[in-house]
Amino acid sequence: MSTINVKTLSSLAKSGALAGKRVFIRSDLNVPLKDGEITEDTRIRASVPAIRLALDAGAAVMVTSHLGRPTEGAVGKADTLAPVASRLSMLLGQPVTLVADWVDGVAASAGQVLLLENCRCNVGEKNDDPELSRKMAALCDVYVNDAFGTAHRAEATTHGIAKYAPVACAGPLLEAELLALGRALHDPKRPLVAIVGGSKVSSKLSILQALADKVDQLVVGGGIANTFMLAAGLAIGKSLAEPDQVDQARAVIDVMKRRGAAVPIPVDVVCAKEFSADAAATVKAADQVADDDQILDIGPQTAQQLAAILKQAGTIVWNGPVGVFEFDAFANGTKVVSQAIADAAGFSIAGGGDTLAAIAKYHIGDKVDYISTGGGAFLEFLEGRTLPAVDILAQRAQN
């Protein structure tokens, strides 16, 4: 198991260092709402262990998060964390008080949980304002970042406050993310297989390039696979692709080849004449795609080949489906790949919105070893980029 070079809330709680202390937790409570009601509460439930850890250790607990995309300086009707406070109260089994104007001071007592209103409504939050960060740091004895989903952003509640708080550490959710991602990328059991799906090579190019140096097999899906098919000299008809990225795709293939690694190119595909849920689906060999065809999924032979690769994998990193799995006629590739990941003996880690939707659709959540809570942060970690919110915790752990 990999180790992480940051202080953790769990170790502080074990040592008794939190008793009577004011603990400020930056959670990710950015949940979907409809008519003021929470429609899916995974992120709220995921935030509970950190809060419970601090409470049980005798701390006074303050929690904040962003919600939606508010305008700084005002809390609109759609911006308030009030529905989150209600749900958190139910999950914790105790009152959670919502505090509106909290930056200039808040009275917190041991055993109490305060939810500090939407942090992105504070002027200076998004640009990591030092004055705002110092004010927030003055509210607490211990700062906890438990929001991996925002770890790639340097904001006042994710980065600035960690500079100035007396103690800065990672919560259990962030700790688990760093351990799982570290295990998958820095200390992987081989073969290491990455699956990268999505519509555009251009949006995932830096990830593909970074992974090309690390992985043993790089499986591409969706529109990305179509561009790689072009790079391999195959015709793709009217399929979604980026012809201007063909050279980049070839470069990725070449880097892999030089290392004795591979980018498997589909041998068969599922085509339709139009992009719609009720379009007629036709399986074709990869070199038989007509000029008016759209490739909307990998074919059954390709799906089985990928399943065989995944069966042998020591570590699997998964981001993105391999076809238009939202349409049942074009879902088989993603279904077979999902099931292969679920059945694989190797360590598997998955992240990204479409990936989570596929995991939910095929009911394999309990069979993926780690499901990342971060979209952008997950991708940036895969690229090898420094995540500002993690970097500052590492710096603070040294002093």
Short mmCIF file of all heavy atoms in Angstrom, two decimals, residues 23-89:
data_model
loop_
_atom_site.label_atom_id
_atom_site.label_comp_id
_atom_site.label_asym_id
_atom_site.label_seq_id
_atom_site.Cartn_x
_atom_site.Cartn_y
_atom_site.Cartn_z
N VAL A 23 -12.64 22.57 14.67
CA VAL A 23 -12.22 21.89 13.45
C VAL A 23 -13.06 22.41 12.27
O VAL A 23 -14.29 22.38 12.31
CB VAL A 23 -12.37 20.36 13.58
CG1 VAL A 23 -12.10 19.66 12.25
CG2 VAL A 23 -11.43 19.83 14.67
N PHE A 24 -12.37 22.89 11.25
CA PHE A 24 -13.02 23.44 10.05
C PHE A 24 -12.83 22.44 8.91
O PHE A 24 -11.70 22.17 8.50
CB PHE A 24 -12.35 24.78 9.70
CG PHE A 24 -12.94 25.53 8.53
CD1 PHE A 24 -13.57 26.75 8.72
CD2 PHE A 24 -12.84 25.03 7.23
CE1 PHE A 24 -14.10 27.46 7.64
CE2 PHE A 24 -13.37 25.73 6.15
CZ PHE A 24 -14.00 26.94 6.35
N ILE A 25 -13.92 21.85 8.43
CA ILE A 25 -13.84 20.82 7.39
C ILE A 25 -14.36 21.38 6.06
O ILE A 25 -15.49 21.85 5.98
CB ILE A 25 -14.66 19.57 7.76
CG1 ILE A 25 -14.21 19.00 9.11
CG2 ILE A 25 -14.53 18.50 6.66
CD1 ILE A 25 -15.04 17.82 9.61
N ARG A 26 -13.52 21.31 5.04
CA ARG A 26 -13.97 21.66 3.68
C ARG A 26 -14.41 20.35 3.03
O ARG A 26 -13.61 19.50 2.69
CB ARG A 26 -12.84 22.31 2.88
CG ARG A 26 -13.12 22.55 1.38
CD ARG A 26 -14.43 23.31 1.13
NE ARG A 26 -14.46 23.97 -0.18
CZ ARG A 26 -15.14 23.50 -1.24
NH1 ARG A 26 -15.82 22.37 -1.15
NH2 ARG A 26 -15.12 24.20 -2.37
N SER A 27 -15.74 20.18 2.91
CA SER A 27 -16.31 18.98 2.30
C SER A 27 -16.74 19.29 0.87
O SER A 27 -16.71 20.44 0.44
CB SER A 27 -17.53 18.51 3.11
OG SER A 27 -17.15 18.12 4.41
N ASP A 28 -17.13 18.26 0.16
CA ASP A 28 -17.76 18.45 -1.15
C ASP A 28 -19.22 18.03 -1.01
O ASP A 28 -19.55 16.85 -1.04
CB ASP A 28 -17.05 17.61 -2.22
CG ASP A 28 -17.65 17.85 -3.61
OD1 ASP A 28 -18.61 18.63 -3.72
OD2 ASP A 28 -17.16 17.24 -4.58
N LEU A 29 -20.08 19.04 -0.82
CA LEU A 29 -21.52 18.80 -0.63
C LEU A 29 -22.30 19.34 -1.83
O LEU A 29 -23.47 19.69 -1.71
CB LEU A 29 -21.99 19.48 0.66
CG LEU A 29 -21.19 19.12 1.92
CD1 LEU A 29 -21.58 20.01 3.09
CD2 LEU A 29 -21.40 17.65 2.29
N ASN A 30 -21.63 19.40 -2.97
CA ASN A 30 -22.23 19.96 -4.19
C ASN A 30 -23.15 18.92 -4.83
O ASN A 30 -22.77 18.23 -5.76
CB ASN A 30 -21.12 20.39 -5.15
CG ASN A 30 -21.67 21.11 -6.37
OD1 ASN A 30 -22.73 21.74 -6.31
ND2 ASN A 30 -20.98 21.00 -7.49
N VAL A 31 -24.36 18.81 -4.28
CA VAL A 31 -25.31 17.78 -4.71
C VAL A 31 -26.33 18.35 -5.70
O VAL A 31 -26.59 19.55 -5.70
CB VAL A 31 -26.06 17.18 -3.50
CG1 VAL A 31 -25.13 16.33 -2.66
CG2 VAL A 31 -26.70 18.27 -2.65
N PRO A 32 -26.92 17.49 -6.54
CA PRO A 32 -27.96 17.96 -7.46
C PRO A 32 -29.25 18.28 -6.71
O PRO A 32 -29.65 17.54 -5.81
CB PRO A 32 -28.15 16.79 -8.42
CG PRO A 32 -27.63 15.59 -7.70
CD PRO A 32 -26.59 16.08 -6.73
N LEU A 33 -29.87 19.39 -7.09
CA LEU A 33 -31.14 19.81 -6.47
C LEU A 33 -32.21 19.99 -7.55
O LEU A 33 -31.91 20.38 -8.67
CB LEU A 33 -30.96 21.15 -5.75
CG LEU A 33 -30.00 21.22 -4.56
CD1 LEU A 33 -29.74 22.66 -4.17
CD2 LEU A 33 -30.55 20.45 -3.38
N LYS A 34 -33.44 19.72 -7.19
CA LYS A 34 -34.57 20.01 -8.06
C LYS A 34 -35.68 20.59 -7.20
O LYS A 34 -36.13 19.95 -6.25
CB LYS A 34 -35.05 18.75 -8.79
CG LYS A 34 -36.09 19.07 -9.85
CD LYS A 34 -36.49 17.84 -10.63
CE LYS A 34 -37.52 18.23 -11.68
NZ LYS A 34 -38.01 17.05 -12.41
N ASP A 35 -36.08 21.81 -7.52
CA ASP A 35 -37.11 22.52 -6.73
C ASP A 35 -36.74 22.55 -5.24
O ASP A 35 -37.59 22.35 -4.37
CB ASP A 35 -38.49 21.86 -6.91
CG ASP A 35 -38.92 21.81 -8.37
OD1 ASP A 35 -38.61 22.77 -9.10
OD2 ASP A 35 -39.53 20.81 -8.78
N GLY A 36 -35.45 22.77 -4.98
CA GLY A 36 -35.00 22.88 -3.59
C GLY A 36 -34.82 21.57 -2.86
O GLY A 36 -34.46 21.55 -1.68
N GLU A 37 -35.07 20.45 -3.55
CA GLU A 37 -34.94 19.12 -2.93
C GLU A 37 -33.69 18.42 -3.47
O GLU A 37 -33.39 18.50 -4.67
CB GLU A 37 -36.17 18.26 -3.24
CG GLU A 37 -37.48 18.78 -2.65
CD GLU A 37 -37.55 18.61 -1.15
OE1 GLU A 37 -37.13 17.56 -0.64
OE2 GLU A 37 -38.00 19.57 -0.47
N ILE A 38 -32.99 17.70 -2.60
CA ILE A 38 -31.81 16.94 -3.02
C ILE A 38 -32.26 15.70 -3.77
O ILE A 38 -33.08 14.92 -3.28
CB ILE A 38 -30.97 16.54 -1.78
CG1 ILE A 38 -30.42 17.79 -1.09
CG2 ILE A 38 -29.83 15.60 -2.17
CD1 ILE A 38 -29.89 17.55 0.31
N THR A 39 -31.73 15.51 -4.99
CA THR A 39 -32.14 14.34 -5.78
C THR A 39 -31.16 13.17 -5.64
O THR A 39 -31.51 12.03 -5.95
CB THR A 39 -32.25 14.71 -7.28
OG1 THR A 39 -31.00 15.24 -7.73
CG2 THR A 39 -33.34 15.75 -7.50
N GLU A 40 -29.95 13.42 -5.16
CA GLU A 40 -28.94 12.34 -5.01
C GLU A 40 -27.94 12.80 -3.95
O GLU A 40 -27.35 13.85 -4.07
CB GLU A 40 -28.25 12.12 -6.36
CG GLU A 40 -27.74 10.70 -6.58
CD GLU A 40 -26.45 10.42 -5.82
OE1 GLU A 40 -25.59 11.31 -5.74
OE2 GLU A 40 -26.32 9.31 -5.30
N ASP A 41 -27.77 12.00 -2.88
CA ASP A 41 -27.02 12.51 -1.73
C ASP A 41 -25.70 11.79 -1.45
O ASP A 41 -25.16 11.85 -0.35
CB ASP A 41 -27.90 12.46 -0.47
CG ASP A 41 -28.13 11.03 0.05
OD1 ASP A 41 -27.83 10.08 -0.71
OD2 ASP A 41 -28.59 10.88 1.19
N THR A 42 -25.13 11.13 -2.48
CA THR A 42 -23.88 10.38 -2.28
C THR A 42 -22.80 11.24 -1.63
O THR A 42 -22.12 10.80 -0.69
CB THR A 42 -23.35 9.83 -3.62
OG1 THR A 42 -24.34 8.97 -4.17
CG2 THR A 42 -22.05 9.08 -3.45
N ARG A 43 -22.64 12.47 -2.12
CA ARG A 43 -21.55 13.31 -1.59
C ARG A 43 -21.79 13.69 -0.13
O ARG A 43 -20.83 13.81 0.63
CB ARG A 43 -21.41 14.58 -2.45
CG ARG A 43 -20.73 14.29 -3.77
CD ARG A 43 -20.68 15.49 -4.66
NE ARG A 43 -19.83 15.26 -5.82
CZ ARG A 43 -19.81 16.00 -6.90
NH1 ARG A 43 -20.61 17.06 -6.98
NH2 ARG A 43 -19.02 15.73 -7.90
N ILE A 44 -23.03 13.88 0.24
CA ILE A 44 -23.31 14.22 1.65
C ILE A 44 -22.97 13.01 2.53
O ILE A 44 -22.31 13.14 3.57
CB ILE A 44 -24.78 14.65 1.85
CG1 ILE A 44 -25.09 15.87 0.99
CG2 ILE A 44 -25.05 14.96 3.32
CD1 ILE A 44 -26.53 16.33 1.05
N ARG A 45 -23.40 11.82 2.09
CA ARG A 45 -23.11 10.62 2.87
C ARG A 45 -21.60 10.38 2.96
O ARG A 45 -21.09 9.96 4.00
CB ARG A 45 -23.83 9.40 2.26
CG ARG A 45 -25.32 9.40 2.57
CD ARG A 45 -26.04 8.16 2.08
NE ARG A 45 -26.31 8.22 0.64
CZ ARG A 45 -25.72 7.45 -0.25
NH1 ARG A 45 -24.82 6.57 0.13
NH2 ARG A 45 -26.01 7.57 -1.53
N ALA A 46 -20.90 10.69 1.87
CA ALA A 46 -19.44 10.50 1.87
C ALA A 46 -18.73 11.46 2.82
O ALA A 46 -17.60 11.20 3.26
CB ALA A 46 -18.90 10.68 0.45
N SER A 47 -19.38 12.58 3.15
CA SER A 47 -18.75 13.57 4.04
C SER A 47 -18.93 13.24 5.52
O SER A 47 -18.23 13.80 6.37
CB SER A 47 -19.36 14.95 3.77
OG SER A 47 -20.68 15.03 4.32
N VAL A 48 -19.83 12.32 5.83
CA VAL A 48 -20.17 12.04 7.23
C VAL A 48 -19.00 11.47 8.05
O VAL A 48 -18.80 11.89 9.19
CB VAL A 48 -21.42 11.12 7.31
CG1 VAL A 48 -21.61 10.55 8.71
CG2 VAL A 48 -22.66 11.90 6.89
N PRO A 49 -18.20 10.52 7.51
CA PRO A 49 -17.13 9.96 8.35
C PRO A 49 -16.16 11.00 8.92
O PRO A 49 -15.76 10.89 10.09
CB PRO A 49 -16.40 9.00 7.39
CG PRO A 49 -17.46 8.57 6.43
CD PRO A 49 -18.32 9.79 6.23
N ALA A 50 -15.81 12.02 8.15
CA ALA A 50 -14.90 13.07 8.65
C ALA A 50 -15.55 13.84 9.80
O ALA A 50 -14.92 14.10 10.83
CB ALA A 50 -14.51 14.03 7.53
N ILE A 51 -16.82 14.18 9.60
CA ILE A 51 -17.55 14.94 10.64
C ILE A 51 -17.67 14.10 11.91
O ILE A 51 -17.41 14.57 13.02
CB ILE A 51 -18.94 15.35 10.11
CG1 ILE A 51 -18.79 16.27 8.88
CG2 ILE A 51 -19.75 16.04 11.20
CD1 ILE A 51 -20.08 16.49 8.11
N ARG A 52 -18.02 12.82 11.72
CA ARG A 52 -18.19 11.92 12.86
C ARG A 52 -16.87 11.72 13.61
O ARG A 52 -16.83 11.72 14.85
CB ARG A 52 -18.73 10.58 12.33
CG ARG A 52 -18.90 9.47 13.32
CD ARG A 52 -19.86 9.73 14.44
NE ARG A 52 -21.20 10.07 14.01
CZ ARG A 52 -22.03 10.81 14.71
NH1 ARG A 52 -21.65 11.32 15.88
NH2 ARG A 52 -23.24 11.07 14.29
N LEU A 53 -15.78 11.61 12.86
CA LEU A 53 -14.45 11.44 13.45
C LEU A 53 -14.11 12.61 14.37
O LEU A 53 -13.64 12.43 15.49
CB LEU A 53 -13.43 11.35 12.30
CG LEU A 53 -12.07 10.70 12.54
CD1 LEU A 53 -12.21 9.27 13.05
CD2 LEU A 53 -11.27 10.70 11.23
N ALA A 54 -14.37 13.83 13.87
CA ALA A 54 -14.06 15.03 14.66
C ALA A 54 -14.99 15.15 15.87
O ALA A 54 -14.54 15.50 16.98
CB ALA A 54 -14.17 16.27 13.77
N LEU A 55 -16.27 14.85 15.67
CA LEU A 55 -17.23 14.91 16.79
C LEU A 55 -16.86 13.93 17.89
O LEU A 55 -16.82 14.28 19.07
CB LEU A 55 -18.64 14.57 16.29
CG LEU A 55 -19.47 15.67 15.63
CD1 LEU A 55 -20.80 15.09 15.15
CD2 LEU A 55 -19.72 16.83 16.59
N ASP A 56 -16.58 12.69 17.48
CA ASP A 56 -16.27 11.65 18.47
C ASP A 56 -14.97 11.94 19.22
O ASP A 56 -14.76 11.44 20.32
CB ASP A 56 -16.16 10.27 17.78
CG ASP A 56 -17.52 9.77 17.28
OD1 ASP A 56 -18.54 10.38 17.66
OD2 ASP A 56 -17.55 8.79 16.51
N ALA A 57 -14.11 12.76 18.59
CA ALA A 57 -12.84 13.12 19.24
C ALA A 57 -12.99 14.35 20.14
O ALA A 57 -12.00 14.84 20.70
CB ALA A 57 -11.78 13.38 18.18
N GLY A 58 -14.24 14.85 20.27
CA GLY A 58 -14.50 15.96 21.20
C GLY A 58 -14.33 17.35 20.62
O GLY A 58 -14.15 18.32 21.36
N ALA A 59 -14.39 17.47 19.30
CA ALA A 59 -14.19 18.77 18.66
C ALA A 59 -15.49 19.53 18.45
O ALA A 59 -16.58 18.96 18.46
CB ALA A 59 -13.50 18.57 17.30
N ALA A 60 -15.35 20.84 18.26
CA ALA A 60 -16.44 21.68 17.75
C ALA A 60 -16.25 21.68 16.23
O ALA A 60 -15.15 21.98 15.75
CB ALA A 60 -16.33 23.09 18.30
N VAL A 61 -17.29 21.36 15.48
CA VAL A 61 -17.11 21.10 14.05
C VAL A 61 -17.83 22.14 13.20
O VAL A 61 -19.02 22.40 13.38
CB VAL A 61 -17.62 19.69 13.68
CG1 VAL A 61 -17.38 19.41 12.19
CG2 VAL A 61 -16.94 18.63 14.54
N MET A 62 -17.06 22.73 12.26
CA MET A 62 -17.62 23.63 11.24
C MET A 62 -17.38 22.98 9.89
O MET A 62 -16.27 22.50 9.62
CB MET A 62 -16.92 24.99 11.27
CG MET A 62 -17.10 25.76 12.56
SD MET A 62 -15.88 27.11 12.67
CE MET A 62 -14.53 26.27 13.46
N VAL A 63 -18.41 22.95 9.06
CA VAL A 63 -18.29 22.34 7.74
C VAL A 63 -18.72 23.36 6.70
O VAL A 63 -19.70 24.10 6.90
CB VAL A 63 -19.21 21.09 7.61
CG1 VAL A 63 -18.99 20.39 6.27
CG2 VAL A 63 -18.98 20.13 8.77
N THR A 64 -17.99 23.41 5.57
CA THR A 64 -18.47 24.25 4.47
C THR A 64 -18.23 23.54 3.15
O THR A 64 -17.50 22.55 3.07
CB THR A 64 -17.83 25.65 4.46
OG1 THR A 64 -18.59 26.50 3.60
CG2 THR A 64 -16.38 25.60 3.97
N SER A 65 -18.90 24.04 2.11
CA SER A 65 -18.77 23.49 0.77
C SER A 65 -19.27 24.54 -0.22
O SER A 65 -19.97 25.48 0.15
CB SER A 65 -19.63 22.23 0.64
OG SER A 65 -19.69 21.78 -0.70
N HIS A 66 -18.92 24.33 -1.49
CA HIS A 66 -19.58 25.11 -2.54
C HIS A 66 -20.85 24.35 -2.95
O HIS A 66 -21.01 23.15 -2.65
CB HIS A 66 -18.66 25.32 -3.74
CG HIS A 66 -18.39 24.07 -4.52
ND1 HIS A 66 -17.61 23.04 -4.03
CD2 HIS A 66 -18.80 23.68 -5.76
CE1 HIS A 66 -17.54 22.08 -4.93
NE2 HIS A 66 -18.25 22.43 -5.99
N LEU A 67 -21.75 25.03 -3.61
CA LEU A 67 -22.94 24.40 -4.19
C LEU A 67 -23.29 25.20 -5.44
O LEU A 67 -23.49 26.41 -5.37
CB LEU A 67 -24.11 24.43 -3.20
CG LEU A 67 -25.43 23.83 -3.71
CD1 LEU A 67 -25.31 22.31 -3.88
CD2 LEU A 67 -26.59 24.14 -2.76
N GLY A 68 -23.31 24.51 -6.58
CA GLY A 68 -23.64 25.19 -7.82
C GLY A 68 -22.58 26.20 -8.23
O GLY A 68 -21.41 26.08 -7.87
N ARG A 69 -23.03 27.21 -8.98
CA ARG A 69 -22.10 28.25 -9.45
C ARG A 69 -22.64 29.62 -9.10
O ARG A 69 -23.12 30.36 -9.97
CB ARG A 69 -21.91 28.12 -10.96
CG ARG A 69 -21.31 26.79 -11.33
CD ARG A 69 -21.00 26.68 -12.79
NE ARG A 69 -20.33 25.42 -13.05
CZ ARG A 69 -19.88 25.04 -14.22
NH1 ARG A 69 -20.02 25.84 -15.26
NH2 ARG A 69 -19.29 23.89 -14.39
N PRO A 70 -22.57 29.97 -7.82
CA PRO A 70 -23.15 31.24 -7.39
C PRO A 70 -22.32 32.45 -7.81
O PRO A 70 -21.17 32.33 -8.19
CB PRO A 70 -23.16 31.12 -5.87
CG PRO A 70 -22.02 30.22 -5.56
CD PRO A 70 -21.93 29.26 -6.71
N THR A 71 -22.95 33.62 -7.72
CA THR A 71 -22.23 34.88 -7.93
C THR A 71 -21.64 35.29 -6.58
O THR A 71 -22.37 35.31 -5.57
CB THR A 71 -23.20 35.98 -8.42
OG1 THR A 71 -23.80 35.51 -9.63
CG2 THR A 71 -22.47 37.28 -8.69
N GLU A 72 -20.35 35.63 -6.55
CA GLU A 72 -19.74 36.03 -5.28
C GLU A 72 -20.41 37.29 -4.74
O GLU A 72 -20.72 38.20 -5.49
CB GLU A 72 -18.23 36.29 -5.47
CG GLU A 72 -17.43 35.01 -5.67
CD GLU A 72 -15.93 35.24 -5.58
OE1 GLU A 72 -15.50 36.40 -5.47
OE2 GLU A 72 -15.19 34.24 -5.64
N GLY A 73 -20.64 37.29 -3.43
CA GLY A 73 -21.21 38.47 -2.79
C GLY A 73 -22.68 38.35 -2.46
O GLY A 73 -23.24 39.22 -1.80
N ALA A 74 -23.34 37.29 -2.92
CA ALA A 74 -24.77 37.12 -2.63
C ALA A 74 -25.11 35.65 -2.57
O ALA A 74 -24.53 34.84 -3.29
CB ALA A 74 -25.60 37.80 -3.72
N VAL A 75 -26.06 35.30 -1.69
CA VAL A 75 -26.55 33.92 -1.63
C VAL A 75 -27.95 33.90 -2.24
O VAL A 75 -28.92 34.31 -1.61
CB VAL A 75 -26.60 33.40 -0.16
CG1 VAL A 75 -27.08 31.95 -0.14
CG2 VAL A 75 -25.24 33.53 0.51
N GLY A 76 -28.04 33.43 -3.47
CA GLY A 76 -29.33 33.34 -4.14
C GLY A 76 -30.11 32.14 -3.62
O GLY A 76 -29.58 31.31 -2.87
N LYS A 77 -31.38 32.06 -4.03
CA LYS A 77 -32.26 30.98 -3.57
C LYS A 77 -31.70 29.60 -3.92
O LYS A 77 -31.81 28.64 -3.16
CB LYS A 77 -33.65 31.17 -4.20
CG LYS A 77 -34.73 30.38 -3.52
CD LYS A 77 -36.09 30.69 -4.13
CE LYS A 77 -37.13 29.76 -3.52
NZ LYS A 77 -38.44 29.89 -4.17
N ALA A 78 -31.06 29.51 -5.09
CA ALA A 78 -30.53 28.21 -5.55
C ALA A 78 -29.17 27.90 -4.94
O ALA A 78 -28.64 26.80 -5.11
CB ALA A 78 -30.42 28.21 -7.07
N ASP A 79 -28.58 28.88 -4.21
CA ASP A 79 -27.21 28.72 -3.71
C ASP A 79 -27.12 28.22 -2.27
O ASP A 79 -26.06 27.77 -1.84
CB ASP A 79 -26.47 30.06 -3.77
CG ASP A 79 -26.53 30.70 -5.15
OD1 ASP A 79 -26.52 29.94 -6.14
OD2 ASP A 79 -26.59 31.94 -5.23
N THR A 80 -28.22 28.30 -1.53
CA THR A 80 -28.14 28.01 -0.10
C THR A 80 -27.92 26.53 0.19
O THR A 80 -28.44 25.65 -0.51
CB THR A 80 -29.39 28.50 0.65
OG1 THR A 80 -29.24 28.18 2.05
CG2 THR A 80 -30.67 27.84 0.12
N LEU A 81 -27.15 26.27 1.26
CA LEU A 81 -26.90 24.91 1.71
C LEU A 81 -27.99 24.42 2.67
O LEU A 81 -27.83 23.37 3.29
CB LEU A 81 -25.54 24.84 2.42
CG LEU A 81 -24.28 24.97 1.54
CD1 LEU A 81 -23.03 25.06 2.41
CD2 LEU A 81 -24.16 23.79 0.58
N ALA A 82 -29.10 25.15 2.79
CA ALA A 82 -30.17 24.77 3.72
C ALA A 82 -30.65 23.33 3.52
O ALA A 82 -30.79 22.58 4.50
CB ALA A 82 -31.33 25.75 3.62
N PRO A 83 -30.89 22.88 2.27
CA PRO A 83 -31.33 21.48 2.10
C PRO A 83 -30.25 20.48 2.57
O PRO A 83 -30.57 19.41 3.08
CB PRO A 83 -31.56 21.34 0.59
CG PRO A 83 -31.67 22.73 0.06
CD PRO A 83 -30.84 23.58 0.97
N VAL A 84 -28.99 20.88 2.41
CA VAL A 84 -27.88 20.02 2.84
C VAL A 84 -27.86 19.92 4.37
O VAL A 84 -27.62 18.85 4.93
CB VAL A 84 -26.54 20.56 2.31
CG1 VAL A 84 -25.37 19.73 2.83
CG2 VAL A 84 -26.54 20.56 0.78
N ALA A 85 -28.12 21.05 5.04
CA ALA A 85 -28.15 21.06 6.51
C ALA A 85 -29.20 20.07 7.03
O ALA A 85 -28.95 19.32 7.98
CB ALA A 85 -28.43 22.47 7.02
N SER A 86 -30.37 20.07 6.38
CA SER A 86 -31.44 19.14 6.80
C SER A 86 -31.02 17.70 6.63
O SER A 86 -31.20 16.87 7.52
CB SER A 86 -32.72 19.37 5.97
OG SER A 86 -33.07 20.71 5.98
N ARG A 87 -30.44 17.38 5.45
CA ARG A 87 -30.05 15.99 5.19
C ARG A 87 -28.91 15.56 6.12
O ARG A 87 -28.90 14.44 6.63
CB ARG A 87 -29.63 15.85 3.73
CG ARG A 87 -29.30 14.42 3.29
CD ARG A 87 -30.51 13.48 3.33
NE ARG A 87 -31.60 13.95 2.52
CZ ARG A 87 -31.83 13.60 1.26
NH1 ARG A 87 -31.01 12.77 0.65
NH2 ARG A 87 -32.88 14.05 0.62
N LEU A 88 -27.98 16.47 6.36
CA LEU A 88 -26.86 16.17 7.25
C LEU A 88 -27.35 15.93 8.68
O LEU A 88 -26.85 15.03 9.37
CB LEU A 88 -25.87 17.34 7.21
CG LEU A 88 -24.37 17.09 7.40
CD1 LEU A 88 -23.89 15.86 6.65
CD2 LEU A 88 -23.59 18.32 6.98
N SER A 89 -28.34 16.70 9.11
CA SER A 89 -28.94 16.50 10.45
C SER A 89 -29.48 15.08 10.58
O SER A 89 -29.28 14.40 11.60
CB SER A 89 -30.09 17.49 10.69
OG SER A 89 -29.63 18.80 10.67
#
